[in-house]
Amino acid sequence: MVPNGRLPGAPGTGAIIAPIVSTVAERTRVLTGFRPTGPLHVGHWAGNVGNAVRLQNEGYECFYFVADWHMLTTHYDRVDELPAFVEGLVLDLLAAGIDPERSVLYRQSQLPQVAELALLLGMITPLGWLERVPTYKERLRDMAERDVANFGLLGYPLLQTVDIVIVHGEVVPVGEDQVSHLELSREIVRRFNRLYGEVLVEPQPLLSETPLIPGSDGRKMSKSLDNTIELSADPDTIRARVRSFVTDPKKIRRGDPGRPEICPIFALHGTFSPDDVARVEATCRTGELGCVDCKSLLADHLIERFEGFRERRAELGRTPGLAKDVLAAGIERVRPIATQTLEAVRAAMRFEG
Ligand code: TRP
């Protein structure tokens, strides 16, 4: 590595050159998973989908997968929907820009090595670590009307850890709510490596620049809260969805001053209207901008931003068997890596021969 990226012996002014050992040259390994619980929405895009596409395009070695076992943690009673959700998710990811040649795109349940490694790592994962993960308590609370207090839900971040370490994922693009999961992953890895030897790699979360995207009710945008705007929504649906958003309750009519910092529409402008956000903020505060116009402006931006997505998604839906074929090719590429990791773990834990 050249110190400071400067070529030794270069003239005093020293042209800055790219460091010889760049992370991209080493092909840092990126991994993230998507639960097949319904169509991708703008919260996914701002969370990890946008970053997943960007990292692929920047030349990282990317592994992306459909986390269908994770779907069972909350939707075990809705497996009839699973096949359509899996297919829809794969097509959504392709339409969003995931290229199955450059990235390995596969389905978790087709990699049974994950299940064996989850069993083994479960033996060294203290219950207390799992119980204190905030998303566990949140899910129990948000889904109080459904019976989700199962072992699987508690083990969610352990299974997620296995997804990552089985391919030695180093960088994991996630939304902010997943940071505690990654922290747990790192603790499990450290515990494993201390007990049995340095086999597993500690992953790092990669947060998107956008904070959590709120949905129409002001809570986190999420399919289960029915407050989303789907990436494939047609323009009329996008307009209707945006109109249904709550705004500052004290701003009742145009002329009333608004508080952008508490308004979900403003949060979306921050992500999707970069050129207008300063003007929106100023004119909302003075009251000059009314919520109706403010929403209409956001809808225009969303419609334009996802027009390409909509077209590609419709096109991809016309090729029968596409999602299955992509997943079949992806599993072949990830299987040897997962097998090798599992063999190293078995050996380290003395399950040889
Ligand atoms: N928990 C992630 C989510 O809800 C999905 C997921 C499953 C995941 N396994 C993963 C993300 C491994 C990153 C790495 O978005």
Side-chain angles (χ1 to χ4, degrees):
M1 173 101 158
V2 180
N4 303 325
R6 219 173 262 264
L7 198 60
T13 51
I16 302 289
I17 56 153
I20 289 176
V21 185
S22 82
T23 44
V24 179
E26 284 182 337
R27 299 265 290 155
T28 297
R29 209 169 259 183
V30 172
L31 170 134
T32 198
F34 306 90
R35 277 182 312 137
T37 52
L40 289 184
H41 52 68
V42 303
H44 291 123
W45 176 264
N48 59 354
V49 175
N51 261 342
V53 173
R54 182 174 62 78
L55 291 165
Q56 162 196 281
N57 294 343
E58 287 175 4
Y60 289 84
E61 187 181 15
C62 298
F63 291 79
Y64 298 136
F65 70 96
V66 177
D68 52 352
W69 280 336
H70 275 103
M71 179 221 179
L72 296 177
T73 61
T74 50
H75 290 60
Y76 60 86
D77 52 351
R78 289 169 59 181
V79 290
D80 288 350
E81 293 168 281
L82 186 60
F85 280 170
V86 171
E87 181 180 16
L89 175 58
V90 171
L91 299 184
D92 276 359
L93 290 171
L94 299 179
I98 301 294
D99 169 0
E101 301 282 322
R102 280 184 289 165
S103 299
V104 182
L105 184 54
Y106 61 99
R107 181 172 177 174
Q108 182 187 41
S109 63
Q110 292 177 338
L111 201 57
Q113 290 82 351
V114 168
E116 183 176 336
L117 188 54
L119 181 132
L120 294 174
L121 292 193
M123 301 300 169
I124 63 158
T125 304
L127 266 185
W129 290 7
L130 294 169
E131 282 163 348
R132 71 165 193 238
V133 172
T135 50
Y136 173 61
K137 290 176 219 145
E138 278 161 29
R139 285 232 192 272
L140 288 183
R141 192 191 60 218
D142 289 347
M143 300 189 166
E145 77 287 358
R146 294 188 20 221
D147 191 5
V148 294
N150 293 318
F151 178 66
L153 185 66
L154 182 66
Y156 185 120
L158 167 65
L159 184 58
Q160 178 165 356
T161 300
V162 172
D163 294 328
I164 301 167
V165 299
I166 205 155
V167 303
H168 299 309
E170 299 168 79
V171 172
V172 184
V174 283
E176 220 170 81
D177 58 324
Q178 302 281 310
V179 172
S180 60
H181 293 185
L182 266 288
E183 198 39 59
L184 179 79
S185 298
R186 295 161 59 79
E187 284 181 285
I188 295 173
V189 166
R190 285 198 285 265
R191 184 150 207 220
F192 182 96
N193 288 346
R194 207 170 47 241
L195 282 165
Y196 307 113
E198 291 284 325
V199 175
L200 304 178
V201 176
E202 268 186 53
Q204 301 283 350
L206 177 75
L207 277 179
S208 72
E209 281 164 17
T210 22
L212 277 189
I213 290 290
S216 57
D217 55 1
R219 291 189 288 172
K220 181 197 167 194
M221 188 178 285
S222 156
K223 165 88 180 167
S224 56
L225 300 174
D226 191 26
N227 62 2
T228 67
I229 303 171
E230 295 173 3
L231 294 185
S232 54
D234 60 52
D236 287 345
T237 308
I238 293 180
R239 282 191 199 288
R241 272 315 228 175
V242 172
R243 270 198 305 271
S244 76
F245 267 61
V246 297
T247 54
D248 179 352
K250 290 204 174 135
K251 183 167 165 62
I252 295 163
R253 56 184 66 82
R254 186 210 292 248
D256 296 344
R259 294 167 293 171
E261 65 278 6
I262 64 154
C263 179
I265 291 289
F266 183 72
L268 285 166
H269 273 302
T271 305
F272 296 105
S273 320
D275 296 339
D276 289 324
V277 67
R279 184 173 56 84
V280 167
E281 174 165 19
T283 53
C284 170
R285 280 194 201 289
T286 60
E288 192 186 330
L289 179 66
C291 294
V292 173
D293 289 342
C294 181
K295 286 177 167 178
S296 156
L297 179 67
L298 175 65
D300 291 342
H301 283 299
L302 289 174
I303 290 165
E304 195 190 319
R305 172 78 68 102
F306 295 112
E307 190 177 276
F309 177 93
R310 253 187 331 275
E311 283 166 8
R312 283 191 299 277
R313 181 63 179 78
E315 179 69 38
L316 292 166
R318 285 193 277 275
T319 311
L322 177 63
K324 263 206 170 73
D325 293 347
V326 164
L327 293 175
I331 202 71
E332 295 302 324
R333 288 165 72 191
V334 71
R335 189 184 297 117
I337 299 167
T339 304
Q340 212 176 32
T341 308
L342 187 56
E343 273 167 14
V345 167
R346 281 189 191 148
M349 296 178 81
R350 304 294 185 268
F351 287 95
E352 284 164 290

